[in-house]
Amino acid sequence: MSKTIKRLIFCLAVMFAAPALAQDAEAPIQKLLQEHGDVIAKSSRKTIGPAIDALAASGLPAAQRVLERWQAKEMWRDEESGLFVFAEEIDRDTIRVFDPADGAQIGAVPDKGFKQLKPNSGIRGMIGAALVQFQLGDPDPVTRATALDAIERDPEASHLAALRKVVDSEGDPKLKARKARLERLLTIRFDEDDAARIEAIEGFAGDPAVDVRATLNPLVATRVEFAETAPQGDDIARILKPGDAALPRTEAYALLVKDGIAPPILTRSDKRTALIDNIRDGAVGGYRVAQLDTEANRDAAYAGLVEAGIASAAASEAEIDATLAGYVFFERFTGARPTVARSALAALKDIETKVGLNRAADLVLDALSLASIYFLAAIGLAITFGVMGVINMAHGEFIMMGAYTGYVVQQIIPDYTISILIAIPLAFAVTFGAGVAMERLVIRWLRHRPLETLLATFGISVALQQIAKNIFGTQARPLTSPAWLDGSLVLNDIVSISYIRIAIFVLALLFLGLFLFVMNRTRIGLEVRSVTQNPRMAGSMGINPDRINMLTFGLGSGIAGIAGVAIGLYAKVTSEMGQDYIVQSFMTVVVGGVGNIWGTLVGATLVGTMQKGIEWFNPSNTLAAQTYMILFIILFIQVRPRGIIALKGRAAEA
Amino acid sequence: MSDLTLSPPARRALVLRHPSVLVFLAILALFTLGVTLLSEGMGAGVISTSFIKTLGKTLCFCLVALAMDLVWGYCGILSLGHMAFFGLGGYAIGMWLMYERTRQIVADSLAAAELPPTAQEISDGIASQIFGVVGASEFPPIWSLAHSLPLQLAAVVVVPGLLALVFGWLAFRSRVTGVYLSILTQAMTLALSLYLFQNDSGLRGNNGLSGLQNLPGLDHVPQAWVSLWFFWASALALGAGYLFCAWLVSGKFSSVVRAIRDDEARVRFLGYPVEAFKLVVFTLTAILAGIAGALYYPQAGIINPAEVAPIASIYLAVWVAIGGRGRLYGAVIGAAFVSLLSTWFTGGQAPDLVLGPLRIQWVDWWTVLLGLSFVAVTLFAPKGIGGLVDLIGRIKNPDRHGADLGPDAGALREREADQ
Amino acid sequence: MTTLLEVSGVSVSFDGFRAINNLSFQIAEGELRAVIGPNGAGKTTFMDIVTGKTRPDEGRVTFGEKSVSLLSLSESRIAQLGVGRKFQRPTVFEDQSVADNLMMALKKDRNPFAVLLFRPRSADLDRVAELAGEIGLSGALYRKAGELSHGQKQWLEIGMLLAQEPRLLLVDEPAAGMTLAEREHTTDLLKEAARTRAVVVVEHDMEFVRRLDCKVTVLHEGSVLAEGSLDHVTGNEDVIEVYLGR
């Protein structure tokens, strides 16, 4: 039966059924729906596509509403007439129906004879995609932004035309920029015109964003093929040589094997299986089983099997080489037409450079933030080591004490901002007190015995660590940062830095400034410097070296406490956290040179940069990075035994 | 030492010049004999096999403490790396033990296969057995000697010795001394342990080497006997090590080494190549530590990178300090006393201490006690337990006119004292 | 007499401060020489350069008839060549006996393995006893050096230097903090030593220098101001200016 007759009969049927409902069966939208009526009613994802496209492309004002209602499962079909209506369920048996053409209410009817259309989620997604073009032009900017999000998530060819239509009319400059960018991305992906695609591709040169790379990458896809002679044609990406990194020899040969051109390579286990299968009376291939304990004998036995026609011949190495030599292997562009692919390749290369630069910038930021952490951790150590010549092995435990102080404060004061503001001075006070006590009780009595001091402070370190473990347990405790420190400062898809790290960096700068001020501009700084240079002379000038030493040690310990709070904010608080930083802190002091704050700064920068730099070369392995860094430092000491910024001459002899 | 300095040195046998050596060897022999007679292996069963192992391990600690005393108490280098050499010795012997035992297991299992195994199949089998835990199935190059007991035994000596030689040469030639040097040795130890912690270090990452208590080919010998053998070997090594150290510190070499400890620059102006002397002491003691480790780990059964971590080396210094440095028996006493006490406390055998409502469990608080008592020893009894011997023998140190030098004052050079 | 030590055109500076400025100095075999100069004249730095403790920025230092350059040698090599040095403060090894101190200084192979295998022969013991006699410490041979008095320590150190059998002896303020009787003994010891080797004595004390009765070199601001007999230099206008003027 021809289509026309079918439609005629259908129309007749509709006309007879019409009196039941006052509905405009002749409305263009209804006609369009009827055109695809069976497909729509069938609701199969495979066949529904043309129906949705037709609706979306119809340009009818009602199309958007129909698609929306359909997606919301509010479209029903009159089973008798085949007409579509919108409907709401009033109760179990009654529905209120509306005319799709203008949305006018028709009336409440029993739902008998009506069938609800229940598009599955796949179809709803397709409808959603089709709806996007309507939403793009929606008066509400939020809806337009949502539509753009939807396209970015799941772009389709149809979106391109829709986008192009609305780009120019967009009033919001931000949305307009987004639309324009998205339009270019879609052009690259879906446009049929190569020139337009290439133009769009070139427009993205040097843009390191992830979505650009995601769009370009499929275009440059290639497939490895082979031929007996060198291929012609501009869709050949490059000629490959078997055995190169891009095409290992075995893979090249496997291609030939797959096409049945060459016999397969037999692995050892294949041969072994074949031999085992053919053992007869304790012998195989002319060899006794007991003899088959070398590969040479097994090969010989297998050759025997081949000769006897029991097993198939395996390609020898020489044969493989000969076979491979007979073919040319090459990569063919499969993602796009060659001109487009080449253009994309060039753009990707450009982007690669840009990405590299951005990565380097990101690395520098990372290194800076690590350096500021090491600086914070080491500055206290540098003070005590520089001024008093004391190596404080318990320094790491002071960091730990500071962090636990922060944790305890957070247990009492739930507001994170206030608790941090309280925790910082409190941590300073606690560790300052601990440092002063340690100086008075232990270190003072071991004056001029640096090695003994080192060991005694180690004893304290062990005791403190275990006490913390006994009190707080072995599991890590959280030190939560206030909400305004959450998240990170994102510069682009590659370069970003978390606010906590920025805060730590600022804190480190603050301490540097504070330290310089105290040492160079205050009375106490003057006294500290004089005690450092010549304690006896300072003592005879009325400065009490004991008091200065005590204060210095307290200060160094107090700064460790604050560093502990800062470190606790981005790492976990455990009783062993001090150990993670102590060696790096020592290294910082040693590399930088003793007795100079700038030395510590340079040392921290060097150690931080080194560690990040090595991690960059071998990103999966931080352990290796630390190992190599320590080795580097041991070698560094060879060149500059007194550190980067070293005192020279008589001052160094003291 | 006093016998040497108060009367003219005569050419007599070493043990006669140093009666303490004879006393020590006698005590060691009696102790070994007593433990053997009371052991499970001999049937008496008063001392359990696991305790024999503990005692054997303690003897190894005593040996490495001797090495530490030599390098620190006599030469003034507070090395925080000797437990790393100890660990390296353990790894060297552990590689052979693990390889050989796995080889036998693999060979046994492959013997049942349809075809007799090739050498490559056996090697692959061993490799996948040993390195399966770190996701590898091939032998790293450092295992290429693992099949040979003599070569691995040589490695016990050569590897720590070579590392000490290279590191010492680098450190000493740049004239790094005092606390700087200590920090640097600690860095070396940390670097080594971090390296071993990696899975691709070729030594099974943090899994370490295990099953070392089973001697290949001696599965039928009960552990009671194996533990006794190792106990005897440890006692023998300690005795020999003690004799060797006593010989080392008996003559002019000891004079020079102690002089280096007290005033390195002055020794240089006497014409002695100070760096070479330090290097000899550092390397020899590293080798001694390696041997001690090679005896220790088969008794412990397992070695992993945590054993090499810097903290272990610091504990070694603690033992020597508590025992009394600058005298050989001090180091032995310290290592034995502290490590046995530590075993007792952390093993949960010590009764809890009840202080009113507080109940102190030693498993948790022993480390605190150790740390604090260590501080107390440094402050109040710098001579350590060995100082008691001086007290009994009424040996008084000379009045130094305020100059605070010598082993009891932390091996400090005058330049440091001037600061 | 042949030149034993020749220092020519040596300069060294610390952080911009020129401690030694184009210094030239010669001493012949078997000569006794006193070096005087005000504080900061560079006397100690001069000794540091000769013994290898400090490397000069420029200049040459040669030693012996073969004119070996000392600049590239380590302290211990220079000492082995025959340059002995006595520091301002007595530095002996206080934890060890006088005999041990002297035995260590005896001229023997300094290689660690040779030292390890070294056992004293009776000739060595006799030499130690003889040296102890010379420095007046025969009775204290087996006492710890730390128990000695300040003067005795100075002598022990001189004894150790003699045991080293150096060809050139550099002595820094040997008489500081000594009693009059001890000074005389010290002078005798140095004069005795100068019979068989070259000796350079750095000293402040003019009386002591006069008693040494030898050629005098005056250092000032890192270079030689005057040289000659004590009477000659004390008559020199520049020297008077430096010591008394300003």
Side-chain angles (χ1 to χ4, degrees), chain A residues 446 449 451-459, chain B residues 61 64-70 72-74 78-80 312-338 370-371 373-388 407-411:
Chain A
L446 295 172
R449 301 187 194 171
L451 294 184
E452 298 227 324
T453 314
L454 189 151
L455 286 175
T457 52
F458 165 72
Chain B
F61 281 149
V64 70
L66 270 183
M68 182 69 189
D69 194 18
L70 217 54
W72 179 28
Y74 284 86
L78 175 51
S79 159
L80 298 180
S313 294
I314 304 183
Y315 273 121
L316 179 61
V318 171
W319 297 340
V320 175
I322 289 184
R325 61 187 172 280
R327 57 184 94 214
L328 296 178
Y329 56 86
V332 174
I333 292 172
F337 178 71
V338 181
L370 179 66
S373 57
F374 180 51
V375 177
V377 165
T378 354
L379 279 178
F380 304 116
K383 287 184 185 178
I385 302 172
L388 293 175
D408 303 329

XYZ file of all heavy atoms in Angstrom, chain A residues 446 449 451-459, chain B residues 61 64-70 72-74 78-80 312-338 370-371 373-388 407-411:
545
model
N 75.037 20.846 78.959
C 75.892 20.147 77.999
C 76.604 21.147 77.101
O 76.986 20.824 75.984
C 75.052 19.193 77.154
C 74.414 18.055 77.935
C 73.455 17.287 77.050
C 75.475 17.133 78.484
N 79.434 20.580 74.331
C 79.509 19.158 73.982
C 78.473 18.881 72.909
O 77.426 18.287 73.192
C 79.217 18.296 75.199
C 80.169 18.528 76.343
C 79.856 17.509 77.382
N 80.477 17.843 78.657
C 80.204 17.200 79.767
N 79.321 16.223 79.744
N 80.794 17.519 80.884
N 78.106 16.853 70.414
C 77.659 15.494 70.115
C 76.742 14.968 71.210
O 75.752 14.305 70.948
C 78.849 14.562 69.936
C 79.726 14.857 68.725
C 80.816 13.825 68.589
C 78.891 14.884 67.464
N 77.090 15.288 72.461
C 76.242 14.839 73.569
C 74.887 15.531 73.529
O 73.868 14.929 73.836
C 76.925 15.136 74.892
C 78.230 14.414 75.029
C 78.347 13.760 76.358
O 77.873 14.340 77.338
O 78.899 12.655 76.411
N 74.908 16.813 73.155
C 73.642 17.531 73.039
C 72.758 16.864 71.993
O 71.572 16.662 72.207
C 73.900 18.987 72.628
O 74.959 19.496 73.424
C 72.675 19.815 72.821
N 73.392 16.530 70.885
C 72.645 15.867 69.817
C 71.962 14.608 70.346
O 70.774 14.371 70.103
C 73.623 15.519 68.691
C 73.093 15.012 67.364
C 74.065 15.420 66.270
C 72.961 13.513 67.356
N 72.714 13.813 71.114
C 72.150 12.554 71.596
C 71.099 12.789 72.679
O 70.070 12.109 72.698
C 73.269 11.669 72.122
C 74.119 11.067 71.015
C 75.281 10.296 71.596
C 73.291 10.171 70.134
N 71.359 13.748 73.572
C 70.384 13.996 74.638
C 69.069 14.494 74.039
O 67.993 14.038 74.429
C 70.937 15.023 75.625
N 69.158 15.412 73.064
C 67.922 15.891 72.448
C 67.244 14.763 71.684
O 66.029 14.716 71.583
C 68.179 17.067 71.490
O 69.200 16.699 70.589
C 68.587 18.305 72.252
N 68.042 13.820 71.194
C 67.417 12.666 70.560
C 66.609 11.862 71.566
O 65.498 11.408 71.276
C 68.472 11.774 69.911
C 67.934 10.425 69.575
C 67.043 10.278 68.525
C 68.249 9.323 70.339
C 66.507 9.053 68.245
C 67.704 8.094 70.060
C 66.835 7.950 69.005
N 67.178 11.701 72.781
C 66.445 10.986 73.834
C 65.108 11.661 74.101
O 64.071 11.005 74.221
N 74.333 -7.695 68.418
C 74.253 -6.271 68.777
C 75.527 -5.833 69.486
O 76.039 -4.731 69.272
C 73.045 -6.016 69.682
C 71.737 -5.951 68.942
C 70.561 -6.357 69.550
C 71.680 -5.465 67.647
C 69.355 -6.282 68.883
C 70.472 -5.383 66.965
C 69.309 -5.797 67.581
N 78.214 -5.167 66.929
C 78.089 -3.908 66.193
C 78.321 -2.734 67.146
O 78.855 -1.690 66.749
C 76.735 -3.813 65.451
C 75.578 -3.648 66.363
C 76.767 -2.662 64.458
N 77.990 -2.925 68.426
C 78.261 -1.865 69.400
C 79.767 -1.666 69.558
O 80.243 -0.538 69.728
C 77.624 -2.203 70.743
N 80.530 -2.770 69.499
C 81.997 -2.661 69.537
C 82.479 -1.766 68.397
O 83.319 -0.876 68.591
C 82.630 -4.038 69.351
C 82.904 -4.887 70.573
C 83.597 -6.158 70.139
C 83.771 -4.117 71.546
N 81.922 -2.028 67.213
C 82.315 -1.229 66.050
C 81.980 0.243 66.286
O 82.787 1.133 66.013
C 81.606 -1.741 64.800
N 80.793 0.476 66.823
C 80.358 1.852 67.075
C 81.285 2.519 68.086
O 81.632 3.695 67.952
C 78.923 1.821 67.610
C 78.327 3.163 67.865
S 78.032 4.042 66.331
C 77.592 5.645 66.965
N 81.671 1.763 69.115
C 82.547 2.321 70.135
C 83.890 2.721 69.519
O 84.457 3.760 69.828
C 82.761 1.294 71.239
C 83.362 1.937 72.469
O 83.282 3.176 72.579
O 83.907 1.217 73.313
N 84.372 1.878 68.622
C 85.647 2.154 67.971
C 85.568 3.456 67.190
O 86.450 4.311 67.275
C 85.968 0.995 67.025
C 87.417 0.559 66.913
C 87.980 0.254 68.268
C 87.501 -0.652 66.013
N 83.218 5.862 67.361
C 82.773 7.037 68.108
C 83.643 7.280 69.345
O 84.234 8.344 69.512
C 81.300 6.867 68.502
C 80.738 8.001 69.285
C 81.135 9.304 69.231
C 79.687 7.940 70.236
N 80.392 10.063 70.078
C 79.492 9.265 70.711
C 78.881 6.921 70.732
C 78.517 9.561 71.674
C 77.910 7.213 71.677
C 77.741 8.518 72.136
N 83.704 6.280 70.215
C 84.410 6.447 71.480
C 85.903 6.681 71.283
O 86.524 7.423 72.035
N 86.487 6.025 70.280
C 87.924 6.159 70.080
C 88.268 7.195 69.034
O 89.216 7.949 69.188
C 88.544 4.821 69.696
C 88.687 3.884 70.875
C 87.634 3.066 71.264
C 89.854 3.838 71.618
C 87.731 2.230 72.357
C 89.977 3.011 72.715
C 88.914 2.205 73.079
O 89.027 1.384 74.165
N 80.798 10.514 65.474
C 79.488 9.999 65.888
C 78.745 9.590 64.624
O 78.016 10.370 64.027
C 78.710 11.065 66.669
C 77.282 10.699 67.051
C 77.228 9.355 67.738
C 76.686 11.748 67.962
N 78.975 8.358 64.232
C 78.355 7.865 62.996
C 76.915 7.469 63.276
O 76.643 6.690 64.192
C 79.131 6.658 62.483
O 78.311 5.916 61.617
N 76.001 8.023 62.505
C 74.609 7.587 62.614
C 74.282 6.707 61.407
O 73.214 6.785 60.834
C 73.683 8.795 62.701
C 73.924 9.665 63.926
C 72.976 10.838 63.961
C 73.768 8.856 65.205
N 67.508 3.350 63.992
C 68.250 2.188 64.492
C 69.683 2.578 64.831
O 70.224 2.177 65.870
C 68.223 1.077 63.446
N 70.278 3.381 63.969
C 71.661 3.795 64.202
C 71.765 4.682 65.429
O 72.757 4.648 66.157
C 72.200 4.533 62.988
O 72.290 3.663 61.904
N 70.726 5.486 65.642
C 70.773 6.351 66.825
C 70.667 5.503 68.087
O 71.363 5.737 69.068
C 69.666 7.414 66.770
C 69.790 8.204 65.462
C 69.776 8.346 67.938
C 68.802 9.315 65.320
N 69.814 4.469 68.028
C 69.728 3.567 69.184
C 71.071 2.916 69.466
O 71.445 2.695 70.619
C 68.657 2.493 68.957
C 67.286 2.959 69.388
C 66.232 3.010 68.514
C 67.069 3.351 70.700
C 64.981 3.451 68.910
C 65.830 3.799 71.115
C 64.793 3.845 70.212
O 63.578 4.287 70.629
N 71.793 2.616 68.406
C 73.121 2.022 68.588
C 74.006 2.970 69.397
O 74.701 2.553 70.333
C 73.734 1.745 67.210
C 75.128 1.150 67.186
C 75.136 -0.194 67.874
C 75.621 0.999 65.758
N 73.943 4.258 69.050
C 74.718 5.246 69.799
C 74.253 5.279 71.259
O 75.070 5.400 72.181
C 74.573 6.623 69.162
N 72.931 5.122 71.441
C 72.389 5.125 72.806
C 72.971 3.970 73.621
O 73.399 4.148 74.759
C 70.850 5.022 72.757
C 70.284 4.803 74.140
C 70.257 6.269 72.136
N 73.013 2.772 73.016
C 73.579 1.624 73.733
C 75.000 1.923 74.175
O 75.370 1.694 75.331
C 73.625 0.378 72.838
C 72.301 -0.106 72.381
C 71.089 0.168 72.957
C 72.045 -0.938 71.261
N 70.100 -0.451 72.251
C 70.652 -1.138 71.214
C 72.840 -1.545 70.299
C 70.050 -1.921 70.239
C 72.251 -2.319 69.331
C 70.870 -2.504 69.302
N 75.790 2.401 73.224
C 77.205 2.621 73.527
C 77.351 3.700 74.593
O 78.175 3.575 75.504
C 77.975 2.988 72.243
C 79.406 3.330 72.557
C 77.908 1.845 71.253
N 76.520 4.734 74.506
C 76.611 5.805 75.493
C 76.227 5.296 76.874
O 76.890 5.602 77.867
C 75.713 6.962 75.090
N 75.165 4.487 76.941
C 74.740 3.971 78.240
C 75.771 3.000 78.790
O 76.075 2.988 79.978
C 73.338 3.322 78.128
C 72.293 4.427 77.930
C 73.017 2.488 79.356
C 70.869 3.945 77.889
N 76.372 2.199 77.910
C 77.382 1.252 78.380
C 78.671 1.946 78.780
O 79.380 1.471 79.665
N 78.976 3.063 78.152
C 80.211 3.764 78.454
C 81.159 3.669 77.286
O 81.712 2.609 77.011
N 81.329 4.797 76.571
C 82.148 4.725 75.364
C 83.612 4.963 75.697
O 83.958 5.404 76.783
C 81.662 5.749 74.359
C 81.748 7.163 74.839
C 81.086 8.064 73.833
N 80.970 9.429 74.324
C 80.029 9.835 75.151
N 79.127 8.981 75.604
N 79.976 11.089 75.540
N 84.449 4.605 74.731
C 85.879 4.753 74.954
C 86.465 3.574 75.712
O 87.604 3.596 76.125
N 85.651 2.573 75.952
C 86.157 1.316 76.514
C 85.348 0.191 75.873
O 84.130 0.278 75.782
C 86.041 1.307 78.029
C 84.637 1.536 78.505
C 84.559 1.622 80.003
N 84.624 2.992 80.486
C 85.199 3.342 81.629
N 85.762 2.449 82.396
N 85.190 4.603 82.015
N 86.047 -0.846 75.448
C 85.371 -1.865 74.641
C 84.282 -2.582 75.413
O 83.180 -2.790 74.913
C 86.393 -2.853 74.111
C 87.429 -2.253 73.151
C 88.426 -3.301 72.722
C 86.749 -1.664 71.921
N 84.603 -2.943 76.673
C 83.591 -3.713 77.412
C 82.361 -2.859 77.678
O 81.259 -3.377 77.824
C 84.173 -4.314 78.701
C 84.801 -3.324 79.640
C 84.037 -2.648 80.573
C 86.167 -3.048 79.614
C 84.606 -1.742 81.449
C 86.748 -2.147 80.477
C 85.960 -1.492 81.402
O 86.520 -0.591 82.251
N 82.552 -1.536 77.753
C 81.406 -0.647 77.947
C 80.379 -0.811 76.850
O 79.180 -0.920 77.098
N 80.866 -0.842 75.604
C 79.957 -0.985 74.478
C 79.179 -2.289 74.567
O 77.961 -2.330 74.351
C 80.749 -0.937 73.172
N 79.899 -3.373 74.919
C 79.245 -4.680 75.005
C 78.187 -4.674 76.107
O 77.052 -5.122 75.900
C 80.297 -5.778 75.256
C 79.614 -7.106 75.495
C 81.254 -5.850 74.089
N 78.573 -4.131 77.264
C 77.620 -4.087 78.381
C 76.377 -3.288 77.982
O 75.240 -3.711 78.195
C 78.284 -3.441 79.622
C 79.380 -4.348 80.175
C 77.239 -3.184 80.702
C 80.205 -3.698 81.276
N 76.614 -2.121 77.372
C 75.489 -1.265 76.991
C 74.547 -1.962 76.038
O 73.331 -1.967 76.231
N 75.108 -2.551 74.984
C 74.258 -3.193 73.976
C 73.468 -4.336 74.598
O 72.260 -4.477 74.381
C 75.118 -3.697 72.821
N 74.144 -5.172 75.395
C 73.466 -6.325 75.994
C 72.384 -5.864 76.960
O 71.229 -6.310 76.890
C 74.477 -7.213 76.714
N 72.763 -4.941 77.832
C 71.851 -4.482 78.877
C 70.598 -3.837 78.262
O 69.478 -4.250 78.541
C 72.596 -3.484 79.770
C 71.764 -2.889 80.874
C 71.378 -3.661 81.966
C 71.368 -1.568 80.817
C 70.621 -3.119 82.974
C 70.598 -1.013 81.816
C 70.228 -1.788 82.905
N 70.808 -2.846 77.404
C 69.657 -2.099 76.897
C 68.798 -2.958 75.975
O 67.578 -2.937 76.054
C 70.114 -0.813 76.172
C 68.899 -0.038 75.685
C 70.937 0.044 77.089
N 63.154 4.912 78.287
C 64.469 4.782 77.659
C 64.988 6.156 77.226
O 66.134 6.521 77.506
C 64.388 3.851 76.452
C 65.692 3.650 75.688
C 66.714 2.933 76.530
C 65.454 2.887 74.396
N 64.114 6.909 76.579
C 64.527 8.232 76.102
C 64.976 9.109 77.256
O 66.042 9.724 77.209
N 65.840 8.188 80.346
C 67.010 7.701 81.079
C 68.268 7.949 80.271
O 69.354 8.147 80.805
C 66.866 6.221 81.433
O 66.670 5.485 80.261
N 68.093 7.990 78.951
C 69.244 8.314 78.119
C 69.698 9.750 78.357
O 70.896 10.036 78.484
C 68.865 8.103 76.656
C 69.973 8.402 75.722
C 71.214 7.837 75.923
C 69.796 9.263 74.671
C 72.259 8.116 75.073
C 70.833 9.545 73.824
C 72.070 8.982 74.020
N 68.706 10.655 78.462
C 69.047 12.043 78.782
C 69.762 12.095 80.130
O 70.777 12.777 80.294
C 67.776 12.917 78.808
C 68.122 14.334 79.219
C 67.100 12.917 77.453
N 69.218 11.333 81.084
C 69.808 11.344 82.429
C 71.248 10.838 82.392
O 72.133 11.397 83.036
C 68.961 10.483 83.363
N 71.496 9.772 81.623
C 72.860 9.228 81.548
C 73.807 10.273 80.972
O 74.892 10.516 81.506
C 72.883 7.939 80.694
C 74.309 7.577 80.319
C 72.245 6.802 81.458
N 73.388 10.929 79.882
C 74.265 11.946 79.283
C 74.557 13.049 80.282
O 75.659 13.587 80.322
C 73.604 12.592 78.054
O 72.399 11.910 77.778
C 74.484 12.561 76.876
N 73.523 13.407 81.068
C 73.707 14.533 81.975
C 74.523 14.151 83.214
O 75.438 14.859 83.600
C 72.339 15.060 82.422
C 71.623 15.995 81.453
C 70.271 16.369 82.023
C 72.453 17.246 81.209
N 74.166 13.013 83.808
C 74.707 12.737 85.140
C 75.781 11.659 85.158
O 76.579 11.609 86.076
C 73.572 12.345 86.099
C 72.504 13.388 86.173
C 71.217 13.129 85.747
C 72.801 14.658 86.651
C 70.241 14.101 85.797
C 71.831 15.640 86.695
C 70.544 15.359 86.276
N 75.784 10.786 84.184
C 76.780 9.701 84.209
C 77.371 9.517 82.831
O 77.142 8.500 82.182
C 76.121 8.405 84.697
N 78.131 10.517 82.367
C 78.645 10.438 80.990
C 79.527 9.217 80.748
O 79.741 8.846 79.597
C 79.432 11.739 80.824
C 79.609 12.294 82.174
C 78.510 11.771 83.017
N 80.017 8.605 81.813
C 80.835 7.413 81.602
C 79.997 6.158 81.410
O 80.535 5.110 81.088
C 81.745 7.188 82.809
C 82.889 8.170 82.896
C 83.741 7.772 84.059
C 84.845 8.745 84.326
N 85.597 8.313 85.512
N 78.701 6.270 81.674
C 77.836 5.123 81.488
C 78.055 4.045 82.514
O 78.672 4.267 83.561
N 77.550 2.857 82.202
C 77.660 1.746 83.152
C 79.119 1.378 83.373
O 79.526 1.013 84.468
C 76.872 0.527 82.638
C 75.409 0.910 82.426
C 76.970 -0.633 83.612
C 74.588 -0.151 81.747
N 79.918 1.487 82.303
C 81.337 1.152 82.417
C 82.042 1.995 83.460
O 83.079 1.589 83.999
N 81.485 3.174 83.772
C 82.081 4.027 84.786
C 82.128 3.365 86.144
O 82.984 3.685 86.975
N 81.207 2.414 86.372
C 81.198 1.687 87.643
C 82.511 0.953 87.857
O 83.009 0.859 88.976
C 80.029 0.693 87.672
C 78.630 1.307 87.692
C 77.582 0.221 87.596
C 78.441 2.115 88.968
N 87.234 11.140 76.104
C 86.069 10.393 75.657
C 84.820 10.689 76.475
O 83.713 10.679 75.953
C 86.492 8.928 75.839
C 87.589 8.976 76.838
C 88.292 10.277 76.619
N 85.001 10.997 77.752
C 83.808 11.177 78.581
C 83.138 12.507 78.322
O 81.993 12.721 78.679
C 84.188 11.077 80.055
C 84.863 9.757 80.330
O 84.508 8.793 79.623
O 85.729 9.692 81.198
N 83.861 13.412 77.697
C 83.281 14.727 77.448
C 82.728 14.806 76.040
O 82.679 15.864 75.453
C 84.319 15.802 77.683
N 82.346 13.692 75.503
C 81.688 13.740 74.215
C 82.650 13.889 73.066
O 82.304 14.431 72.036
N 83.861 13.415 73.252
C 84.805 13.384 72.151
C 84.844 14.716 71.434
O 84.526 14.840 70.283
C 84.424 12.291 71.161
